[in-house]
Amino acid sequence: MGHLPTSESSCIIHHNCLAVLSRHSAPNVRSQWEEERYPEGIKWKFLEHKGPVFAPPYEPLPENVKFYYDGKVMKLSTKAEEVATFFAKMLDHEYTTKEIFRKNFFKDWRKEMTSEEKSTITSLSKCDFTHMSQYFKAQTEARKQMSKEEKQKIKEENERLLKEYGYCVMDNHKERIANFKIEPPGLFRGRGNHPKMGMLKRRIMPEDIIINCSKDSKVPPPPPGHKWKEVRHDNKVTWLVSWTENIQGSIKYIMLNPSSRIKGEKDWQKYETARRLKKCVDKIRNQYREDWKSKEMKVRQRAVALYFIDKLALRAGNEKEEGETADTVGCCSLRVEHIKLHPELDGQEYVVEFDFLGKDSIRYYNKVPVEKRVFKNLQLFMENKQPEDDLFDRLNTSILNKHLQDLMEGLTAKVFRTYNASITLQQQLKELTNPDDNIPAKILSYNRANRAVAILCNHQRAPPKTFEKSMMNLQSKIDAKKEQLADARRELKSAKADAKVRRDEKSKKAVESKKKAVQRIEEQLMKLEVQATDREENKQIALSTSKLNYLDPRISVAWCKKWGIPIEKIYNKTQREKFAWAIDMAEEDYEF
DNA sequence: GACCCGACTTAGGACCGAAGCG
DNA sequence: CGCTTCGGTCCTAAGTCGGGTC
């Protein structure tokens, strides 16, 4: 295998290049630099990789694992059996009880059956997968029980695969690939109420695969007996491998890891755009407030939508094809049924109550007081409409983004999310960091600032399955600690009384040690209570998404430098790799 | 301007090994 | 030591947005 360097050292160079540039440069210098290296949309000059790793082939079940139809044992053809195992593996999941899931699955399963199977198996409810399911559970159990040596062997095999296929060379750099393994076949599980749940996600073959690499590279060979769909040499894109998936008909890609030069630069660029927005956001805000009064309905709708995007960090909200995906919306696709207007609510005037499902079917629920003009406009937009009608019927993301482009080069709806997230972090850090705090307390403040952003962006998570239980465990620990404290206090009291009577050194010492014990227990109790609050506050909030995608890492790096916090306390290894550019370039006085 | 497609970013959940705790 | 909890990684779905076509 030709050009892949074995040394890691070649990776280091590019971060320093970024750092050197950034210290002296205004944001636009960078694009000049980029233009020097890559004229008009060229992403690389050299690209070589080993191609994808395919999912392991299907291994038929052992003879003794039975499938039953209508109470009778039935031996399935290999293809039908494979699809049946997908269902059997999900039997415990409530998915498999859902009407749509079952219907979609059964339809696709039947396509894999032989004609005899098809004529026999006519009802999913007569299928009994429990024996298969038990077998897989036993397998999982067996895997857990594996010896250290066996586990080590698997680990080594994975490392070998990573070493062989997990890297590529792009323009003199050895780079880590993000997802070099092809997605295995299985049953599609959409998020939320997805109309396609349960459909068969088919096995991807070399014949489905488009390879992208440079002409002067060593083209990866397809597996023996197979051919690639196509080999192309397109240096205007960053992907190495692509294929078309069969559920939505969309294209999937193999691309580089976030630590790569190409991703890092893009990330940097994203934050630079957000910083440019910072410079003109006041002007833009004044503008959209003016537009609330416009004679043109289209302009008013645009201005109200933009206000929501800015104030509430809503997503743009592209139109979606009905029936193809879960019914979710963003700002421009809000419908009348998603908001309620309250002229007065809980002592506040002009409150808008939002209730809709956003990306990933995550609920957005918020009651927001808005300015009178916005409120009146919303009333106007809703006049003579049905609940299922679009709130902004004269607006879509393309109109909005074209307008934004006129306000600032490179401005789109999502830049507001990046801008507001980053500026919020910066403000919150300033506000919450207490210089006298020790390091753990400062980190707590950091997490609080992070949390403020996560709430703004509505980054939620399902409460961990064991949340209630673990909360109860924690509570009983707290209760136990309280009792312990009460005991310790009683002991202290009696020791004091004792010392008063005896007046000797020994009893004085006893008092001192009891005092210390009380203090220690008080501290432990406080720690537990802080932990409980923290956990409760974090119950439904996911911090990682904003940390990874919305917060300019230079803010965090600067904060760490300023307060002497080791960067490792804020970013783990993966995150440090992704944000290497920022760690290199940000000084303690960095301002977003 | 509606529609479609391609390329890319953003997203939450499953899983698993390590750390923490009694 | 055995249990629970935590944190990191992997996985892949679901968005955004620009460009092309008609």
Side-chain angles (χ1 to χ4, degrees), chain A residues 94 115 138 166 175 235 243 249 326 415 420 435 489 530 557:
Chain A
E94 68 141 353
S115 50
E175 304 273 31
N235 67 357
W243 71 93
V415 179
N420 280 310
R489 281 188 175 141
V530 166
V557 172

Side-chain angles (χ1 to χ4, degrees), chain A residues 101-158:
Chain A
F101 189 97
R102 296 175 69 86
K103 200 186 114 240
N104 287 334
F105 162 72
F106 196 56
K107 190 177 162 202
D108 280 2
W109 186 27
R110 282 177 61 80
K111 289 181 201 157
E112 304 299 312
M113 293 176 186
T114 63
S115 50
E116 298 94 277
E117 284 167 341
K118 240 190 233 176
S119 60
T120 311
I121 303 174
T122 53
S123 161
L124 181 56
S125 53
K126 287 183 183 167
C127 296
D128 181 356
F129 302 96
T130 51
H131 192 200
M132 289 162 79
S133 171
Q134 280 163 14
Y135 169 73
F136 290 123
K137 275 184 206 154
Q139 293 263 298
T140 310
E141 200 45 43
R143 228 172 301 132
K144 273 188 207 155
Q145 299 301 325
M146 272 185 320
S147 69
K148 267 217 173 87
E149 294 73 36
E150 288 171 303
K151 281 185 180 168
Q152 184 59 27
K153 220 176 147 191
I154 291 173
K155 207 174 152 192
E156 276 166 18
E157 171 60 15
N158 284 336

Side-chain angles (χ1 to χ4, degrees), chain A residues 12 17 42 234 281 447 453 458 476 500 556:
Chain A
I12 294 165
C17 294
I42 307 279
D234 182 356
V281 74
N447 288 337
V453 176
N458 198 227
S476 51
K500 216 171 179 179
S556 302

Side-chain angles (χ1 to χ4, degrees), chain A residues 381-441:
Chain A
F381 303 159
M382 289 162 81
E383 256 172 37
N384 302 318
K385 279 189 194 168
Q386 299 299 308
E388 63 276 15
D389 290 341
D390 285 340
L391 177 64
F392 303 114
D393 53 303
R394 309 280 173 90
L395 186 68
N396 60 39
T397 55
S398 148
I399 296 170
L400 179 66
N401 280 333
K402 269 184 196 127
H403 172 63
L404 294 176
Q405 195 61 238
D406 294 339
L407 298 178
M408 184 193 104
E409 197 192 326
L411 186 61
T412 63
K414 82 185 184 84
V415 179
F416 283 87
R417 256 168 98 79
T418 312
Y419 162 71
N420 280 310
S422 288
I423 202 79
T424 300
L425 178 75
Q426 190 169 82
Q427 278 165 193
Q428 288 288 305
L429 284 177
K430 269 191 192 136
E431 223 171 287
L432 298 176
T433 312
N434 179 358
D436 303 330
D437 276 350
N438 59 14
I439 290 184

Side-chain angles (χ1 to χ4, degrees), chain A residues 31 84 124 145 209 235 294 340 478 523 528 543-544 559 570:
Chain A
S31 55
L124 181 56
Q145 299 301 325
I209 295 291
N235 67 357
S294 169
K340 264 192 209 146
I478 289 173
E523 268 169 38
L528 283 172
L543 298 185
S544 62
W559 181 84
I570 297 299

Side-chain angles (χ1 to χ4, degrees), chain A residues 16 22 46 55 89 95 165 167 189 202 245 279 281 318 369 396 405 414 423 451 495 550 568:
Chain A
N16 293 334
S22 65
F46 181 79
K89 281 176 184 171
Y95 269 114
Y165 294 97
Y167 296 86
R189 312 144 82 133
R202 57 167 246 280
E245 140 295 324
K279 289 186 198 152
V281 74
N318 283 303
N396 60 39
Q405 195 61 238
K414 82 185 184 84
I423 202 79
R451 196 177 301 152
Y550 288 104
E568 294 78 15

